[in-house]
Every structure is written in structure tokens, then in C-alpha cells.
Amino acid sequence: MDIILIKYGELALKGDNRAFFENKLVKNIKEALKGYDGIKVEKTHGRIYVECDGNVNEVIDKLKKVFGIVGMTVAKKVDLDLDAIYNAAIELMRSYSGKSFKVETRRPNKSFPYESMEISRMIGGKILQNVEDVYVDVHNPDIVLNIEIREKAYLYSGITDGIGGMPLGTNGRAVVLLSGGIDSPVAAWMMMKRGVEIEAVYFHSPPYTQERAKDKVIDLCKKLSEYGQDIYLHVVNFTDFQLAIYDKCPPKMTTIIMRRMMMRIAENIANKYGAKALITGESLGQVASQTIESLYCTNAVTHMPVFRPLIGMDKSEIVEISQKIGTYDISIRPYEDCCTIFVPKHPIIKPDLEEVIEGEKNIDYEKFIDSLAIDQIKIKQDS
Amino acid sequence: MEVYLDNSATTKVRKEVIDKMVDVMENEYGNPSSVHLKGYKAEKILLESRRNVAKLLGCETDEIIFTSGGTESNNFAIRGIAYSMKRLGNHIVTSKIEHPSVLNVMKQLEEEGYDITYLDVDNRGNIDLDELEGAINDKTILISIMAVNNEIGTIEPIEDIAKLKEKAKNAYFHVDGIQAVGKIELDVKSQKIDLLSLSGHKMHGPKGIGAIYIKRGVKIKPILYGGGQEGNLRSGTENMPGIAGLGDACRLIKENIHEYESKLIHLKKRLYDGIKSEISDVHLNGPDIDSGAPQILNVSFLGVRGEVLLHALEEKGIYVSTGSACSSHKNTESHVLKAIGLSHEYIEGAIRFSFSIFNTDEEIDYTIDALKDKVNFLRKYKRR
């Protein structure tokens, strides 16, 4: 029987809310592992244990996507029987890649008839006999094999890093503006990591953007959903609105005005579905619409907090995260900027809020927002 | 209405061909190499298909080898000759507007030490015969030129090239006939072609099947080794449903090729005339309307992005293709349109219409209306 001991550091600080966070984490772990037979998740004394029968590597991979887990230790749990302990030790050692090792034994259960040092020595001897290409080094070993003799014997070595963060669903809901590029899915993921459940909105402008661009956003949602939630994607048909902006607004302001419209629409969706914040992938100064003046103008249309987790990050740092979380390869499919036609050749870099408000006065945007066609697509986490 | 005008990408499989293939899968599923009756029956079908392909090209049955498609045929022809002729020379002549399944093989051979000449083309897409003559030398072992260009429909002067080839001591002449077979009349004997590639799915046959004509006596090395099928030149258990389908597609075309050719020309001209009279600022890319391949029409709509127009037409059920994938990714601009000297603005607005015998006048008229509508609309929203 394999046991995975879950460490979840930060949650311990949460005082009265602790039980809520822990219970949510347990629930999320169960959800992540629901496809496997023979899984038991238990919470005792500030520790969460996952018992599993085989598949331990697959289970660990799943747990690596559960927010709130800081580290995992895989232990084998066997009967208090020397042969069983030997076999488990040999099996574990064969699964590790290091060469030098030592065995460390603790024996809280004094009814076991051998002393710690003795046990270590006996197990070490068996490993040397049965595992090829390993040797003992008590000072600087690659592997420390820990043995704990309790009501059963537990064997484990090392800690696998978890993803960290807070259990998904412990910090409310927010709407992320997803473009299909590299940044916005990373922003979404970073907020999910802080426990925020997301709802996504994508602006689709056929024939200027194509179906494959929409599929890309669906695939990004699918990737994000692997981190523990079903995602509702709201696909806004934006063509007419964009053409109206083109017709009725000063050319150099079309981008900033479009951004303001997107924020209004996203806020509308957020209100409708109980979300309390917006998430964008903006990074200060990256493009004309992400200068401090532009952000001031886009921010002015919403009353909700706007989370911009990438605001202080370099592109290379964002790329690194997107590669780590698996969205990069989807984001770089070449269907993104097919609505360059609407990007003015000389966009305004330091817009003035008054002027922008003046610039959009000819658009009856409330009417537009009310009449938008929005498709809702549910993206299930294991589809 | 659905109007499929992307027949140079692929064509709809004919009903007769599908029936034939289903029969082969359901009933005559034997392996032609098997000794028993089931195998014998399959061998018969194999032979019949080979005969149908040979008839269409005007060659002998044993000069046809089945492959997995156009790409394999081109790879086989070029590599096969390059390796078998290695001792006699290392120089190959081709053009700048060949299909990637030719050009990328050439690139690979360059890395292996072969010397490749890429001929320029004029603004109609034709190679210059004087330039070809000047390029041929004692070391030339292969000339590989397409019969019909897939993007603009230029028909290259096959007979003239074949004549010039005689000036080289040891050269073979390979023709990429993938867009030509079944569209214009070919006769590999009178046109003195040594090798010719063709593909099933460009002529209402199935995907995953193609063939290559290899003249008797041509020295070529296989690129696939195994059980020795196809006269030891192309090992692998025969793709029988595909082969049967290809054979039937060839037979059906051979019976009607003149009728088909005039129908395609009629459709092409009808669309072009309509575009010219209804829409301003259009430009015909490639050969003159009377001299190009019957099934390909390439037109630039200035001030419109081809990709956006493509998707606008798609909203109307009309399917075409473009000369560049997306204007923000310049490297995807067509090498053919660049080679005929088109400027960026023309390339950006280029649309390829490619016809099949299943298109109708009504479809063409519907397309003209849609084009007029969409082009005028899109021109209002230029980047500014």
C-alpha cells in the first residue's frame, strides 16, 4: 500500500478558517483523483494522507496540479514483518535514481523486537544484496531512506514539490479576459493558484478572426481546467461592435476604446455570474494599451478590482510560466493577431481619460452591450 | 448554398470511386501477394487499376508504381534519381515555384552535397528556356519541373524542356504532374517525360494514394525497402482500397477528359469575367486567362486581406484559399507569388479559386455576388 503524505504549509496560518481551507483541499484532492480506484483521502492532525493502490506516479502527477499542496512524500505502508519491510525497501530503492544511500530508522513502537540502529543495518544489508549499483554513504548520501516503526512500518524518502498556492475555490470567482495569446492564460492560472475560480470571456470577430482562433482559446481553457475546475467560456461576438468603434471613434483611440468596451462587457458577465473581480494579462508598458495612462483609462470603466498578476513581470518570465503550465504551445499557434486591421498604425500611447470619454461618445455602447450575442461553452476538466 | 472552390487543395471523392473502394474493403480484401484465390482476385484489381492509370498517362502498365501520394512520388523521383545517378553527376535543375514536396527535398539534397539550380520564372510563372539551357552541364542528372503550378496555374513548356534535356549527357526529366493529371492532356511518351508524379485526391480519388510513372530503363533507387512489392521499387503491402479508387478515378477522367477540360475553362472564365465586371481594383495573378491551367484562377483584391476575405466567403458557404496565411506572419507569404514578382499588397489580397467538374454556373454566379458584397464591405475597413 502506498501512502502519500500531503504538506500544505500556508493553510496552517489561517486561524478559524483553517478547517474550511483544509476541507476544501481534501475535496479538491478527491475531485482530482476521482478517476482512480482504491483511493482514500484522510485528514488527521493537520495532515492529509492519500492512500493508493498502485498508480502512485500517476496520482502524484495529478496532485501536482492541485493548488494548496506544498509537498508530497510517498511512503510505503507494510505490516510489521521483517520480510515485508525488506521487500518494500528494495522496491523503493529500485525506483530512485541516486546511487549512494543511508537508512534512518525511528521506532516509536517499542514492541518491535529490534532497535533502530539494528533495523537500519539489516535493511541496508538487504538493499546492498538486492539492488544493483548502490553503495552506503552515511555522510553525504543521494538518498536517505526513512523507516518509521509504528503500528505499521512506513518507508519513505524525500519530498516531491507541490504546486503551492491556496485551494481552488477558497477565494471567490473572477472573470478573466482571455485573448489566446501567451499572457492572459498565465494571469488566469496565477489567480487560480491563489484560490480564485475563474470564468473566461473571449472576444470573437469573424471573419477577422477565425474559428481556429476560438478553438485555441477553448484549448487554453481545457489546459487551465486541468488545475481543478470546469470553466465556462463566454464567447462574445464582437464584430459589429468593433466595426462601430471603427466607424465612430477617432482612429488613434480605437484600441483603448475597444479595451474599455471589453472591460465593460467582462464586468457585465461577472455581475451576472457572481464573480467579484476581473483578471487581465496586462504587463506594464508591454504595448500601447498597457501604459500607465492606458490602464488608468481602461480601469476607469469598472467598479470591480482588476487583478493584473503579470503587471510587474518581464515577457521572458511570463513565457517561462506558460511553458511550465502547458499553455505556451497552444498560445503560439499562429491564429492570434488576425484582427490587426483594427489596430491603428499610430495608437495613442498616453491617452487622456476626458478625451477618451469624448472619443467614445458617439457609440451607444449600453445598447450594444445589451444586444451582444454571447455563446457559453462549458469546458469540463476531464474532457 | 455550399460552393467548394478549393479543388487544388483536395477534391470531393466521386460516388463511383467510393463504391469501388467499399467493395474492395468489404469483399475483395485479399493481399495481392497471397497465393490463394482471394489474393489472386486482389491482384486482378491491382492490375486493372495500374492499367487505368497507365492509359491516362499514355504509358505501359509496368511503368506505373503506386505510392502513398504526391509527396512520396516527388520524394521518390528526386531522391531515387539523385542516389542512383550519384556517380555520373550531382547537379539538379528545378524551379523556384515548385511545390514544397520538391523544394524541401532539394534543400535536403543540397545538405548532402548536391548542386541545385533553382530557375527563376517570369511574371506569368513560366521558366526561361534559355536559362534552363545555360544551367544544364555535364554533371546534370535530373531536371524536375512541375507541369501545372498549384497556386497560379501556369503550364510549363514540358515538350521544350524535354528537348533541352537531350543536351545533358545523363539527365532524366521528372515532371510533378500532381495538378496537371486529369486536368490537361498528358502523354508521357510523346512528351518525352522520364518520371511523372500524380496524386489521387486531386482528381476525385481518395487521399493517401498516388502513383509515379517511371519510364522503362530509368535507373532509380527505392526509398522504401521491404517485401519487394511494386517491382521492388516500393515495398509495403499495397493500399488496395486506395489503389482501386485511384484506378477508377483515372478511368472516369480518361473517358471524358476533353469534356471536363472545357467545362473547367468555362467555369474559370465565367468567374473571372464576373469578377472583372463587378469589382474594381482586381488583378489576375499568373498566366493570362486563356493560357493557364483550366482549374486554377488566382486573383488579388487590392485593399482586402485575403485571409479575412476567405473567412467572409466562408460565412456564405464558399471555400477558397489564400496566398498568405496571416499578414502578421510575413514568412507565410507564398513563395510562388513572390517569385512572379508580386508586391506585398498584391500577395496579401490574393485568393485562389480552383474548380472541379462538379461546380455549376449557379455556384459561380453566387460566388460573384458574394465577392462583390464582401469585397466592398471589407474595403471600407482598411487599416488606418
Side-chain angles (χ1 to χ4, degrees), chain A residues 287-348:
Chain A
V287 290
S289 66
Q290 297 177 19
T291 60
I292 212 162
E293 292 83 1
S294 293
L295 294 176
Y296 182 80
C297 289
T298 41
N299 212 82
V301 301
T302 171
H303 307 289
M304 290 186 175
V306 180
F307 296 148
R308 299 182 177 88
L310 314 185
I311 198 71
M313 291 172 80
D314 293 350
K315 193 74 183 180
S316 58
E317 296 170 300
I318 301 169
V319 165
E320 202 176 299
I321 299 177
S322 74
Q323 285 169 331
K324 190 181 84 184
I325 65 177
T327 55
Y328 181 77
D329 289 339
I330 304 169
S331 290
I332 59 168
R333 288 184 207 157
Y335 311 119
E336 187 198 3
D337 2 66
C338 288
C339 45
T340 47
I341 195 162
F342 297 112
V343 179
K345 281 179 189 147
H346 305 289
I348 191 162

Side-chain angles (χ1 to χ4, degrees), chain A residues 246-247 337 341 343 345, chain B residues 307 326 328 381-384:
Chain A
Y246 183 100
D247 282 337
D337 2 66
I341 195 162
V343 179
K345 281 179 189 147
Chain B
E307 188 183 350
C326 185
S328 55
Y381 297 96
K382 272 189 200 160
R383 198 168 174 204
R384 57 189 181 184

Side-chain angles (χ1 to χ4, degrees), chain A residues 98-307:
Chain A
K99 297 219 158 134
S100 58
F101 75 100
K102 75 171 175 181
V103 180
E104 270 184 14
T105 305
R106 285 174 58 214
R107 189 184 55 136
N109 177 356
K110 300 293 181 204
S111 68
F112 195 66
Y114 303 94
E115 284 180 7
S116 307
M117 293 294 279
E118 239 178 322
I119 300 169
S120 294
R121 235 180 0 255
M122 291 190 297
I123 292 175
K126 283 285 174 193
I127 288 170
L128 286 173
Q129 280 167 26
N130 289 285
V131 182
E132 275 171 36
D133 227 12
V134 293
Y135 59 91
V136 174
D137 179 349
V138 291
H139 300 296
N140 196 15
D142 298 335
I143 304 158
V144 179
L145 181 63
N146 299 283
I147 316 280
E148 283 183 28
I149 304 294
R150 295 169 182 269
E151 78 290 1
K152 299 265 182 180
Y154 295 84
L155 298 84
Y156 59 91
S157 173
I159 286 182
T160 307
D161 286 340
I163 199 166
M166 317 259 282
L168 193 64
T170 55
N171 270 326
R173 295 171 75 72
V175 166
V176 58
L177 289 83
L178 221 47
S179 68
I182 292 170
D183 299 348
S184 50
V186 173
W189 182 84
M190 286 177 74
M191 295 321 299
M192 288 168 79
K193 185 164 182 268
R194 295 310 296 170
V196 177
E197 274 187 348
I198 60 160
E199 188 105 15
V201 54
Y202 167 64
F203 296 90
H204 190 42
S205 296
Y208 299 98
T209 57
Q210 54 163 307
E211 281 301 297
R212 286 180 175 99
K214 187 172 95 186
D215 284 355
K216 198 175 143 179
V217 174
I218 292 173
D219 289 349
L220 286 170
C221 286
K222 225 173 259 175
K223 190 45 89 179
L224 291 173
S225 76
E226 287 174 14
Y227 292 89
Q229 68 162 106
D230 296 344
I231 295 174
Y232 286 94
L233 172 65
H234 304 267
V235 179
V236 178
N237 193 321
F238 203 46
T239 313
D240 290 345
F241 209 157
Q242 264 186 303
L243 295 179
I245 294 170
Y246 183 100
D247 282 337
K248 293 178 178 163
C249 303
K252 62 176 182 173
M253 287 188 194
T254 50
T255 304
I256 188 77
I257 290 172
M258 185 187 76
R259 295 289 304 168
R260 283 164 59 88
M261 298 303 169
M262 288 174 164
M263 296 296 269
R264 287 180 173 119
I265 294 165
E267 189 183 65
N268 236 23
I269 292 171
N271 278 328
K272 210 162 156 187
Y273 296 96
K276 294 273 185 291
L278 303 180
I279 303 169
T280 74
E282 286 154 324
S283 164
L284 193 63
Q286 203 185 78
V287 290
S289 66
Q290 297 177 19
T291 60
I292 212 162
E293 292 83 1
S294 293
L295 294 176
Y296 182 80
C297 289
T298 41
N299 212 82
V301 301
T302 171
H303 307 289
M304 290 186 175
V306 180
F307 296 148

